[in-house]
Amino acid sequence: MRFAVSYSTPAYGMDPERLVRFARHAEDCGFEGLYVPEHVVLYRGATFGGYEMPGDLPYGDPLELLGFVAASTERLLLGTAVLLLPYHHPVVLAKRLATLDVLSKGRMRLLTVGVGSLPGEARAVGVDFASRGRRTDEAIDVLRLLWSGERVSYSGEFFEFEDLSSFPHPLAPLPIHIGGSSRAAARRAAARGDGYFPGGALTPNERATQWKLATSGRADLEYTRWASIDLTPEAAAAYESQGITRLVVTTPDLHELTSFAKRFQLM
């Protein structure tokens, strides 16, 4: 079992010194990686999980945040949970992700993408909300194609180009994990993902159903899940028996990170 942490700027703010202190402490504690979330914009009436989201939540750009973390750490892997892929042009994004991987010496390894759940956010960036799933599928294919090291062409519903090369290339093929809380996300993980990172608000039966969908015809899929900072070794062992390979915890408290790391002998 591997353990990572998340850092939520909507909850903890954008203080650069606090972010660096948190990331360095997580690295010193032996955590594998650090995840950050994304929302491009918020608006009045935006809801998630039945609750209205305040419009002043300070979501930073995830890749800028991870670049800042990479410059301040040496080993910590870099992750998104989740990057809203349909709201990024994959030709531009391929270069940004590969550059981050090269400059961090191969640490952009926990990329998790999702389709987004806020219609107003899609409208703000000129994306048809109903097409975001198909757009995400194409974007994944385009990213991998541009990272392949060849001059490539592509013709799809949303993206089209001919005889392009994109530099730099990642130091190794970048894994793309699929995040989400729907059966469509699980099917996308089976078809295109290197891993699956479902949301936390799922019933045990629905979670089991989605994992079965995600692993249909697959034996190599990584399974990441959110977990409580109060997790016990016995509970972690139960997760591992379900095929879970990585648990992600969140807390702003450095003492809680230390306690967790000692409990699981990460330090």
Side-chain angles (χ1 to χ4, degrees), residues 24-57:
R24 287 176 173 168
H25 188 75
E27 182 170 75
D28 290 342
C29 284
F31 286 93
E32 176 195 35
L34 181 143
Y35 287 84
V36 294
E38 176 177 42
H39 274 293
V40 181
V41 292
L42 294 174
Y43 54 94
R44 187 169 297 168
T47 60
F48 180 76
Y51 297 95
E52 184 169 349
M53 300 177 68
D56 59 352
L57 295 176

Side-chain angles (χ1 to χ4, degrees), residues 41-118:
V41 292
L42 294 174
Y43 54 94
R44 187 169 297 168
T47 60
F48 180 76
Y51 297 95
E52 184 169 349
M53 300 177 68
D56 59 352
L57 295 176
Y59 279 94
D61 179 89
L63 300 190
E64 301 291 349
L65 289 171
L66 292 176
F68 191 73
V69 167
S72 306
T73 56
E74 296 180 356
R75 180 194 55 80
L76 208 60
L77 300 185
L78 310 174
T80 56
V82 294
L83 182 82
L84 302 178
L85 185 53
Y87 307 154
H88 296 266
H89 197 293
V91 174
V92 178
L93 185 62
K95 181 177 288 289
R96 293 184 69 199
L97 287 167
T99 299
L100 183 51
D101 190 62
V102 170
L103 293 180
S104 67
K105 299 181 180 179
R107 290 192 278 149
M108 187 66 240
R109 298 290 122 185
L110 300 177
L111 172 66
T112 307
V113 302
V115 301
S117 62
L118 303 180

Side-chain angles (χ1 to χ4, degrees), residues 29-266:
C29 284
F31 286 93
E32 176 195 35
L34 181 143
Y35 287 84
V36 294
E38 176 177 42
H39 274 293
V40 181
V41 292
L42 294 174
Y43 54 94
R44 187 169 297 168
T47 60
F48 180 76
Y51 297 95
E52 184 169 349
M53 300 177 68
D56 59 352
L57 295 176
Y59 279 94
D61 179 89
L63 300 190
E64 301 291 349
L65 289 171
L66 292 176
F68 191 73
V69 167
S72 306
T73 56
E74 296 180 356
R75 180 194 55 80
L76 208 60
L77 300 185
L78 310 174
T80 56
V82 294
L83 182 82
L84 302 178
L85 185 53
Y87 307 154
H88 296 266
H89 197 293
V91 174
V92 178
L93 185 62
K95 181 177 288 289
R96 293 184 69 199
L97 287 167
T99 299
L100 183 51
D101 190 62
V102 170
L103 293 180
S104 67
K105 299 181 180 179
R107 290 192 278 149
M108 187 66 240
R109 298 290 122 185
L110 300 177
L111 172 66
T112 307
V113 302
V115 301
S117 62
L118 303 180
E121 192 171 23
R123 285 195 299 271
V125 295
V127 169
D128 172 27
F129 187 71
S131 72
R132 71 198 191 285
R134 301 195 311 276
R135 183 181 290 267
T136 293
D137 291 340
E138 277 197 19
I140 292 171
D141 294 343
V142 168
L143 289 173
R144 290 196 171 118
L145 191 63
L146 290 170
W147 291 332
S148 67
E150 306 291 337
R151 300 186 73 87
V152 294
S153 301
Y154 185 87
S155 181
E157 180 183 359
F158 303 101
F159 309 107
E160 185 170 359
F161 51 82
E162 186 174 347
D163 198 29
L164 293 188
S165 56
S166 178
F167 293 95
H169 299 143
L171 296 187
L174 286 190
I176 300 177
H177 295 208
I178 307 300
S181 298
S182 69
R183 297 184 183 186
R187 288 189 289 269
R188 181 167 295 111
R192 286 179 165 82
D194 297 294
Y196 187 42
F197 190 167
L202 295 172
T203 66
N205 286 341
E206 179 62 20
R207 189 175 299 281
T209 296
Q210 290 190 19
W211 181 236
K212 185 176 181 180
L213 287 171
T215 54
S216 177
R218 300 286 302 272
D220 59 340
L221 206 66
E222 289 195 12
Y223 189 5
T224 302
R225 261 208 67 176
W226 296 103
S228 168
I229 192 66
D230 298 319
L231 185 76
T232 64
E234 293 76 19
Y239 280 137
E240 193 166 16
S241 70
Q242 299 168 22
I244 295 166
T245 52
R246 180 182 296 104
L247 293 173
V248 183
V249 298
T250 181
T251 176
D253 192 311
L254 302 188
H255 295 294
E256 286 188 336
L257 285 186
T258 302
S259 177
F260 187 99
K262 288 180 176 178
R263 190 159 66 246
F264 287 92
Q265 299 181 339
L266 304 182

